[in-house]
Amino acid sequence: LSPSAPQLLKIPLNSASPKTGAASRSPQQAKPSFTQRLSAAMGSAFSKKKQEKSPRQGQEKGNRRLSVTGEKQQFPSGENSEGSVSDKGQTSFLRYSSLSNAGYEPDGHKKTNQDAFVSIPEFGDSAISLFGVFDGHGACGHLVSAYVRREWPKAMDKEICKSETQNPTDRADSLLKNIKESFTKVNNALEKEKTIDSTLSGTTAVATVIVGKPGSRRIFCANAGDSRAILAYKDGGSLKVRELSEDQKPDREDERQRIIQCGGRVEPLLDENGEPIGPHRVWLPNMMLPGLAMARSIGDDIAASVGVHAVPEIKVFDLKEGDQFMVIASDGVWEFLSNEDVVDIVVQCDGDGDRAAKEICARSYREWKAEEEVVDDITAVVVYFTQF
């Protein structure tokens, strides 16, 4: 890849902030916008307009997610859409509602939704369910997320899932191995897929496998990237939230060390004054590419050359009486809403899953419109547990 290769910054952001009172400043006093600072640092390497804003309470401007990706092109939309995609269903022990909405761009072009989700309430057995969210990024991000949506369930072994359901083991080694290999298998197949250019495109993947009979059900949550899954549960008289996944950022010490050992750099982009713009990102040793602001993903072949990989972190949780619901969402939700915000929204919907998914997406959309000139794609999967 030559240094002159076309570049584009895709900017859905990870933590955002309220608008500044720019209208009260004179043109001479106005601080250069976020877009202008990026332009000065990267030339014409991006297209979306994002203005710099003051940090919101409890959030840091430095957490903004910026991904340097390939030149923007027109590609077939695959399984993604320019509107909304929804799904709902139930089994003997859960019910769910899923919703994914395309974002908004102010340039007049319809935005292709780069998010995708999986909701399979009965995966070869009534006691096995799969749910997942995939947030694509880059010029071919919508194709990558659609590919993972199709191929990940195929990579999961139904017989292993059934075996863990019928004869649960403390370590669940076979199922853990299968989940881990399902991510890497899909990633390796994607790299060989000639119809999708994953050089500078990829997707997050947060996926849950729910297995077990009543009294022994467990959630296996696998994560690569910065989409997120949470669980709301009763503790005494209050409702609390537990993260089922952990966002993987390049400056997390274990992730940073791996990338550095693989020859990459982990540092933020600097503007013309030497001030950092956005979060720490992953770079090649001698080039300003790829600029990925997550340490794991599926795809992203250039980033993979310096330690970004698709191996998921997997956490296991016993489903217990008192566990109320699970929410899996792309960072179009977590951009402006905290875990507690999302739980409060679901609670206010009084068990109506369709309404809960719609309210999460609607609230996220309103926050984006209030804070930014663009709106990221927004996806939420809400799963209520009715039996344990």
Side-chain angles (χ1 to χ4, degrees):
L1 183 66
S2 71
S4 61
Q7 305 169 38
L8 172 75
L9 279 174
K10 181 195 173 190
I11 316 176
L13 307 175
N14 251 357
S15 66
S17 27
K19 294 181 178 179
T20 58
S24 64
R25 296 181 179 178
S26 68
Q28 292 79 11
Q29 296 174 323
K31 182 178 181 179
S33 70
F34 188 49
T35 300
Q36 290 169 333
R37 295 175 68 204
L38 285 171
S39 181
M42 293 292 287
S44 59
F46 62 96
S47 65
K48 292 185 180 178
K49 296 181 179 179
K50 293 281 190 179
Q51 292 188 354
E52 185 66 279
K53 299 174 176 68
S54 303
R56 295 180 72 179
Q57 184 176 2
Q59 295 178 316
E60 296 181 1
K61 181 177 64 181
N63 286 336
R64 292 176 178 269
R65 176 165 72 86
L66 311 173
S67 298
V68 180
T69 66
E71 183 178 17
K72 189 173 183 180
Q73 304 175 43
Q74 295 298 321
F75 293 98
S77 62
E79 294 182 7
N80 307 70
S81 73
E82 294 175 343
S84 296
V85 179
S86 62
D87 185 32
K88 66 178 180 179
Q90 65 182 38
T91 70
S92 60
F93 70 96
L94 61 77
R95 52 190 174 84
Y96 70 91
S97 294
S98 307
L99 179 63
S100 182
N101 290 333
Y104 166 81
E105 292 181 344
D107 57 8
H109 293 91
K110 289 185 177 179
K111 187 181 186 306
T112 297
N113 190 351
Q114 292 192 301
D115 285 2
F117 65 82
V118 162
S119 47
I120 305 177
E122 295 186 358
F123 184 64
D125 188 284
S126 60
I128 305 168
S129 302
L130 304 185
F131 298 96
V133 167
F134 315 104
D135 180 357
H137 51 260
C140 294
H142 58 299
L143 298 179
V144 175
S145 62
Y147 180 87
V148 176
R149 174 188 181 275
R150 292 192 305 271
E151 299 301 320
W152 175 66
K154 298 177 186 177
M156 287 298 302
D157 190 316
K158 292 181 180 179
E159 293 306 314
I160 291 177
C161 293
K162 287 181 182 179
S163 177
E164 188 60 37
T165 294
Q166 295 167 358
N167 301 292
T169 60
D170 290 337
R171 292 173 57 88
D173 290 336
S174 295
L175 183 53
L176 287 170
K177 180 181 179 182
N178 179 216
I179 295 172
K180 177 181 176 180
E181 291 180 348
S182 71
F183 274 51
T184 56
K185 181 179 179 180
V186 171
N187 184 71
N188 293 340
L190 173 65
E191 188 175 358
K192 299 174 183 177
E193 176 57 59
K194 296 181 179 179
T195 64
I196 302 175
D197 182 1
S198 58
T199 304
L200 287 166
S201 296
T203 185
T204 69
V206 59
T208 60
V209 181
I210 305 174
V211 300
K213 297 178 180 179
S216 61
R217 290 197 176 96
R218 288 188 283 183
I219 301 174
F220 293 75
C221 183
N223 182 53
D226 60 0
S227 294
R228 189 184 308 161
I230 64 171
L231 176 74
Y233 65 98
K234 284 186 177 180
D235 183 15
S238 62
L239 194 63
K240 296 185 178 180
V241 60
R242 175 183 296 118
E243 288 192 351
L244 302 181
S245 63
E246 182 179 353
D247 298 352
Q248 295 145 350
K249 302 297 185 182
D251 58 346
R252 204 178 83 180
E253 186 57 26
D254 56 338
E255 303 291 301
R256 187 181 74 87
Q257 287 295 334
R258 184 187 71 248
I259 292 164
I260 291 173
Q261 290 172 6
C262 291
R265 292 181 292 131
V266 175
E267 55 192 48
L269 185 67
L270 302 179
D271 65 14
E272 65 277 13
N273 297 318
E275 296 183 1
I277 309 174
H280 285 73
R281 301 180 288 171
V282 180
W283 304 99
L284 297 179
N286 300 308
M287 293 179 62
M288 295 301 288
L289 283 173
L292 193 67
M294 63 189 74
R296 304 190 193 197
S297 69
I298 295 177
D300 292 305
D301 302 341
I302 292 296
S305 70
V306 288
V308 173
H309 61 57
V311 178
E313 290 183 316
I314 306 174
K315 297 183 178 183
V316 184
F317 303 87
D318 293 325
L319 264 179
K320 300 177 181 179
E321 187 173 358
D323 291 339
Q324 300 297 295
F325 56 83
M326 173 178 70
V327 177
I328 312 173
S330 63
D331 74 342
V333 170
W334 309 116
E335 173 72 27
F336 293 104
L337 301 182
S338 68
N339 297 338
E340 291 75 17
D341 289 335
V342 171
V343 168
D344 288 344
I345 291 171
V346 176
V347 169
Q348 292 168 13
C349 293
D350 296 322
D352 186 333
D354 288 354
R355 181 184 166 200
K358 289 178 182 178
E359 286 297 323
I360 291 171
C361 292
R363 170 76 178 277
S364 300
Y365 187 91
R366 291 195 298 269
E367 294 286 343
W368 273 94
K369 289 289 286 184
E371 302 291 350
E372 298 290 347
E373 296 178 15
V374 301
V375 177
D376 196 9
D377 305 320
I378 299 168
T379 299
V381 178
V382 181
V383 181
Y384 293 92
F385 299 108
T386 57
Q387 187 185 80
F388 308 97

